[in-house]
Amino acid sequence: MDNIIKFKDHPPVRKAVESLGSELKRAKALLKTQETKSFIKQVEDVVHDLGRSLGLVLLASLEVSTDLKDKIGVLHKDLMNTRFDMSSFASTSYDSEVVSEIEVEEEIQEEKRVCFGIDEVSLQIKCGDDEQLKFALLELNELIGDKRVSSEWITDEGVIPILFNRLSSSNSENRLCIVQLLRRLASDNADNKEKMADVGFLSAVVKSLVRDEEERKEAVGLLLDLSDIQSVRRRLGRIQGCIVMLVALLNGDDLVASHHAGKLLNALSNNTQNALHMAEAGYFKPLVQYLNEGSDMSKILMATALSRMELTDQSRASLGEDGAIEPLVRMFSIGKLEAKLSALSALQNLSNLTENVHRLISSGIVASLLQLLFSVTSVLMTLREPASLILAKIAESESILVNSDVAQQMLSLLNLTSPVIQNHLLQALNSIASHSRAGKVRRKMKEHGAIQLLLPFLMETNIKIRSSALNLLYTLSKDLPEELTEQLGETYIKTIINIISSSTFDSEKAAAVGILSHLPISDKKLTDMLKKANLVPIMVSILTSRSEVSKETTCWLEESVTGLLIRFTNPSDKKLQLYSAEQGVIPLLVKLLSSGSPVTKCRAATSLAQLSQNSSSLSKSRKSRWSCVPPPADGFCEVHNGYCFVKSTFCLVKAGAVSPIIQILEGKEREADEAALSALATLLGDEMWENGSNCIAKMSGIPAIIKVLESGSIKAQKKALWILEKIFGAEEHRVNYGESAQVVLIDLAQKGDSRLKSTTAKLLAQLELLQVQSSYF
């Protein structure tokens, strides 16, 4: 039963069965007419046509069971040999005459059919049109199936070359029949296979690999049948496009074609060049097998080829999954010089994928790389540069931290290597130190004198080394502000300032400014040194007139500059603030409130908050006497109740900073909330809280502040509660916003941090929703 189901599901069989069904319908229609003159002849024609249709079924049934084919074959012969006795139908003299005419005509047709079936089949196959070829192929299949032709006849008539010749010029239906017939001939006789091994014949079959689905399936099946011949395997690998098409079939949806393509590729992979072609087509298993089990020369050949391939990330992933990493690491660890070099180059190509870096680290390659870098054997010197490069790539993965002393070993190598290797080691060290879980590693690096070791590199004329050293110093400087000033000293601080003012690389400027931003703000001597070096106008210029750079570098530069500007907006030094304002710092900070990263926005808001702390004392009262020039009308500030100017009183309102600060609170990112709220809080001092509240309300800031209570940090929530307490001191704002605030406040009182409950209670009491002395809190 299963065979019958599979038989029906075979598309060529299905097509032949449809033809058979059409003939059966014709037979049923004929039985209804029964016209005496032509009825008998028509019946016999229909029976023979049924036989031919069944023959098509037999031709298409190469892959069904032998038992089923035999049954079809018997029925096919019975139908083709059927003859009717005309005398049994003749009842009148007229009928006898008709019968005689029919018999004479049948004899002529029979002679033609027999003659076509035996003597002219090769001629029709060779020269016939598509329709003639179709029936000639059918007749040939019958002749072969009935064993009415011998192998010698097949050879003498040149059937195999003729079929291959017609394969390239026939329509799709006939091509399919030809390939199926060739498969039958190949399975019948080993000599026939040898005749098909000609490279021209094979090329014709290879072309069928890109045609219709069924033709592709039969073609790959034929090639697989022929692949037990060594010369066929050798020639197939050399036919252009063959391996590429086989790999495409292997990855296709047709399970039978995919299975046959896989077996054929496996057979062809015995040749190393074929294995390389397969890899270039994206099928890597044979290449990996050679890396694991091939000769030393084969391994080197595969590794070298792999190092030169332009791989996609998908290809790198496939190679990693197929197991290419482990044998390459073994080659590098225990192989001879050529094996080591080719393996390193291949691993370098594979290491551009994160998943493969994890595999590399798991394979234990880090220890082998460091051992090579420490080696003084002259023959291994050529390997040190590629080894350091791959180490730099591996260091980008946080999983390298499993090697606890790797950073210390790299530091000890820094002054023992060439500039190229130094740069790779510096990059690797920076990657390691930058990992979120690398706090312990950074501490150990400092304890082992990393800062003092790195400082001389700041004087390097080699820009790559200087940049890499700067980046590493920047990373390490985050954790040690107090000791860093002493370690840098005046000489290296000036060197860093010089890099900021003269470097043509924004990434260098970002690292250098970032290092200075990590130094203690309380060091007034350092502040004076930076001011004398004109660092503030230099930084403003860098951010207002920088060239087109990557988004990542721009972000880093903005974060570093705004970090250092916090030093120059210190609220305890009004002269320094005035100096900074005169250099155009405030418009720059306001702009960055809208365009910067969350870190940049936080730092910009911090500086503006520091400046705004002194605005009230610096603003000119309306009652003040103006010696010569009357104050401009547009200079009056309703918040500070006096005359304000951006450069002299640092007023947030006049600077246009209030709206972008509120927008920070309205946004999705929460990192800058606390700094933004601190800036708004400067507008709510004892003498101006009502004016400040009105300003914030006018800018639609109150809902944004309430929002912080829902999703902000504890510190931000605490500031927001303080601000709302000030704002709700005005009845107008209690009426307009009290209802929307109470829902959030009640939720905060019930579910919020215990440290906020007291302030929350006061605010609820202020909104007359709770007694101030309530025992609930």
Side-chain angles (χ1 to χ4, degrees), residues 391-460:
L391 194 58
K393 181 61 67 175
I394 290 173
E396 293 174 7
S397 169
E398 195 160 16
S399 52
I400 196 173
L401 296 177
V402 298
N403 304 83
S404 57
D405 60 344
V406 63
Q408 281 67 51
Q409 293 184 64
M410 289 188 203
L411 280 172
S412 63
L413 281 167
L414 271 179
N415 289 321
L416 305 174
T417 54
S418 67
V420 173
I421 297 173
Q422 282 179 330
N423 186 41
H424 292 158
L425 290 174
L426 287 167
Q427 289 175 346
L429 284 164
N430 187 49
S431 294
I432 292 170
S434 298
H435 293 312
S436 59
R437 294 189 292 110
K440 187 177 178 181
V441 174
R442 290 193 294 270
R443 188 168 61 253
K444 280 189 175 181
M445 287 172 71
K446 293 163 201 164
E447 289 170 359
H448 286 79
I451 301 294
Q452 293 303 321
L453 189 64
L454 292 170
L455 289 175
F457 288 109
L458 299 184
M459 316 293 285
E460 265 284 349

Side-chain angles (χ1 to χ4, degrees), residues 500 513 535-543 561 564-565 568 588:
I500 296 169
V513 173
L535 198 56
V536 174
I538 289 171
M539 290 191 295
V540 172
S541 175
I542 287 172
L543 288 190
V561 168
L564 187 51
L565 285 176
F568 292 96
L588 175 64

Side-chain angles (χ1 to χ4, degrees), residues 709 713-719 721 748-749 752-762 777:
L709 295 178
S713 66
I714 300 297
K715 288 184 177 180
Q717 287 176 329
K718 191 172 183 179
K719 282 190 179 295
L721 287 169
L748 188 65
D753 191 278
S754 59
R755 290 169 288 180
L756 302 175
K757 286 193 172 183
S758 175
T759 313
T760 307
K762 286 176 66 178
F777 297 100

Side-chain angles (χ1 to χ4, degrees), residues 3-39:
N3 284 338
I4 292 173
I5 292 170
K6 290 178 182 176
F7 178 68
K8 287 180 179 176
D9 289 342
H10 195 52
V13 174
R14 194 185 305 118
K15 192 170 183 180
V17 169
E18 288 170 0
S19 173
L20 185 61
S22 299
E23 295 299 338
L24 285 171
K25 288 179 183 176
R26 183 180 155 209
K28 288 179 182 178
L30 181 63
L31 289 173
K32 293 178 182 179
T33 59
Q34 296 189 12
E35 294 177 5
T36 307
K37 184 173 181 180
S38 59
F39 176 67

